[in-house]
Amino acid sequence: MSNIFSRLIEKSRKRSPWVYRINAGSCNGCDIEVAPCFSPRYDGEQIGALLQGSPKHADILLISGPITLRTKDMVKDVYDQIPSPKAVIALGSCPATGNLFHDSPTIVGSAEAVIPVDLYVPGCPPRPQAILEAIQTAASLLEKGETRSQKEVTNG
Ligand code: SF4
């Protein structure tokens, strides 16, 4: 019975990934592209994706913007609040490299400096279709147990 229950949870994770979004210092360009992903135009719910109001209910973290001195602790805290297994998607050039803000004295750098990132979506900003594709890919990684957080648990 518990085996059936575990399989049901694994399938749900792939078919209905719940998503939480944080802005770590973004110009809002990436966030503006996330909004239509969950609107009738791009309709993320067609792939089961649902935006959540709390990290405690999420499977996938979307992060936009470069990590700043002011947001780095918040980013780590939000990541820790998401129950395992979890996946992280970095949106746009900022969380990948710091982008045009990289040499600012208030910038820590890429998201990788604070949390393990599973997928990067290129662009400044990325298009909604690319964001939804990344959510589907992250859901598949979760189902296969291949996210960084899952591998870290397996490797001890
Ligand atoms: S990647 Fe571009 S659009 Fe996105 S937060 Fe950075 S500067 Fe703004």
Side-chain angles (χ1 to χ4, degrees):
M1 186 70 175
S2 68
N3 209 8
I4 292 171
F5 191 59
S6 317
R7 285 215 310 271
L8 179 66
I9 290 176
E10 278 160 26
K11 283 261 176 264
S12 307
R13 239 177 235 128
K14 167 133 197 240
R15 293 173 192 248
S16 179
W18 286 10
V19 179
Y20 186 74
R21 181 191 67 77
I22 49 171
N23 175 339
S26 143
C27 74
N28 282 340
C30 285
D31 307 282
I32 287 168
E33 298 301 318
V34 171
C37 292
F38 299 95
S39 75
R41 173 137 191 212
Y42 292 99
D43 201 5
E45 286 191 33
Q46 277 197 46
I47 59 163
L50 200 60
L51 207 52
Q52 288 299 303
S54 164
K56 291 176 182 167
H57 301 156
D59 306 300
I60 297 172
L61 176 65
L62 294 181
I63 180 165
S64 61
I67 309 297
T68 69
L69 290 173
R70 200 169 160 189
T71 60
K72 81 174 163 60
D73 291 342
M74 176 273 288
V75 169
K76 179 76 173 71
D77 187 45
V78 166
Y79 176 79
D80 288 342
Q81 285 186 55
I82 298 176
S84 290
K86 52 192 162 189
V88 176
I89 302 173
L91 298 179
S93 309
C94 283
T97 63
N99 200 7
L100 67 165
F101 309 109
H102 76 279
D103 55 356
S104 161
T106 59
I107 296 297
V108 172
S110 70
E112 190 66 44
V114 185
I115 55 175
V117 176
D118 294 288
L119 294 162
Y120 290 91
V121 188
C124 181
R127 298 167 64 202
Q129 296 96 322
I131 297 170
L132 288 173
E133 208 178 305
I135 291 171
Q136 279 185 295
T137 306
S140 295
L141 291 178
L142 279 167
E143 191 199 22
K144 292 183 210 150
E146 290 179 354
T147 65
R148 301 249 325 257
S149 69
Q150 288 165 302
K151 284 183 180 168
E152 276 161 22
V153 170
T154 310
N155 296 336

